[in-house]
Amino acid sequence: VKVYIDNLTRHLISIIGKRDTLFILHNSEKKLFIKSKNNIHEIIMNSKSKIICDLIIAPEKINALNLDAVLFTKGVMPFFIKNKTKKIITIHDLAYYIPKYNAYKFLDNIYMKIMIKSSCKRADKIIAVSENTKKDLVNIIGIKEKKIKVIYEAADNNYKRVIKKETLSKFIKKYKLPEKFILYTGDISPRKNLTNLVKAFNIVANKDKELFLVMTGSKGWKN
């Protein structure tokens, strides 16, 4: 989600037209983006509490700005936003609603379940990052399909195909990589469905003995 927000914001900064004004609100301790144009304003909400930012500071600042539209990028939309402001929200997944994943801490789970459902009901438009998330929004929360737009997350410009054989050879040697492998990147946690990944790989690997599964990522919740 952090990468999504960072890349989306930087791209909006790059394409914003002269007739429009972009306000970026966040609760980091310092400004994160280079102000390349006069119509871009970065506002720090000055609170380490997620709940205070979501429910008190954000609506106060948003309403004071009289915005035409506002995009909430992490599944939570404050209450009491002026009706004339169009409200858009991005929903990344509904893991909070699926107990078997045990994906998040207890209090976080309660707060986000309440806020996601309420936010989706109040939003003018919902961005789902996958067809599966859209399906979950319809089936679990009861959102109408026409309110949801699926917009996939693009790969960062840092990711390119490496053609130089010397670079590839060094990398393969450094990490002792096999010739044929399936690569997993992401947190090691229950919500990443790794049990099914391993089961699926076992089926494929039985037919192709030269294929390996390579996993990389940080240790997440319940790793």
Side-chain angles (χ1 to χ4, degrees):
V1 175
K2 182 181 177 183
V3 173
Y4 170 84
I5 294 169
D6 187 59
N7 283 350
L8 182 63
T9 305
R10 292 183 193 283
H11 190 67
L12 282 171
I13 289 170
S14 72
I15 65 169
I16 193 77
K18 291 180 180 179
R19 294 196 304 167
D20 298 310
T21 305
L22 176 66
F23 295 92
I24 306 161
L25 283 77
H26 61 76
N27 66 337
S28 297
E29 294 179 353
K30 59 183 180 180
K31 293 192 174 182
L32 303 174
F33 304 97
I34 296 170
K35 185 180 177 182
S36 55
K37 302 171 186 176
N38 292 329
N39 55 343
I40 297 168
H41 306 277
E42 190 170 355
I43 299 168
I44 299 173
M45 291 187 281
N46 288 324
S47 176
K48 292 181 179 179
S49 168
K50 178 172 70 175
I51 294 175
I52 290 173
C53 274
D54 286 345
L55 302 182
I56 299 172
I57 302 175
E60 182 183 307
K61 291 195 178 289
I62 289 166
N63 286 333
L65 292 169
N66 288 315
L67 302 174
D68 294 308
V70 59
L71 169 63
F72 300 97
T73 50
K74 61 181 185 70
V76 172
M77 187 174 83
F79 297 98
F80 311 119
I81 303 296
K82 288 180 179 177
N83 286 333
K84 72 168 193 171
T85 301
K86 293 293 181 184
K87 296 170 280 290
I88 309 157
I89 188 167
T90 300
I91 302 296
H92 299 272
D93 62 57
L94 291 187
Y96 295 99
Y97 289 83
I98 305 172
K100 70 176 182 178
Y101 289 167
N102 198 12
Y104 301 100
K105 295 175 183 177
F106 180 71
L107 291 177
D108 279 350
N109 213 62
I110 292 174
Y111 175 71
M112 289 301 290
K113 279 178 75 173
I114 293 168
M115 289 304 296
I116 287 174
K117 186 172 184 177
S118 171
S119 299
C120 288
K121 298 285 187 185
R122 291 180 286 115
D124 294 293
K125 202 75 177 175
I126 300 168
I127 295 171
V129 301
S130 68
E131 289 289 346
N132 188 69
T133 296
K134 178 181 178 180
K135 184 177 73 176
D136 285 346
L137 284 165
V138 173
N139 295 335
I140 297 174
I141 299 183
I143 304 298
K144 292 180 180 178
E145 280 196 43
K146 64 181 181 181
K147 193 176 182 179
I148 308 165
K149 176 72 174 176
V150 175
I151 303 176
Y152 298 112
E153 296 160 311
D156 188 277
N157 288 331
N158 288 328
Y159 297 106
K160 299 179 181 70
R161 185 170 183 180
V162 179
I163 299 172
K164 197 174 179 183
K165 289 185 178 179
E166 186 183 345
T167 305
L168 287 170
S169 296
K170 283 182 180 178
F171 192 86
I172 288 166
K173 188 176 180 181
K174 181 180 178 180
Y175 292 103
K176 301 181 177 66
L177 293 173
E179 187 176 337
K180 290 174 65 179
F181 61 90
I182 292 171
L183 176 66
Y184 166 80
T185 60
D187 281 355
I188 309 298
S189 72
R191 68 193 179 98
K192 295 300 182 180
N193 204 16
L194 296 179
T195 305
N196 278 342
L197 170 63
V198 173
K199 286 178 181 177
F201 174 76
N202 278 336
I203 295 169
V204 177
N206 281 332
K207 299 175 183 176
D208 187 349
K209 301 295 183 183
E210 296 179 3
L211 187 65
F212 285 76
L213 176 62
V214 177
M215 302 172 72
T216 176
S218 58
K219 291 180 180 179
W221 170 249
K222 294 260 181 185
N223 62 76

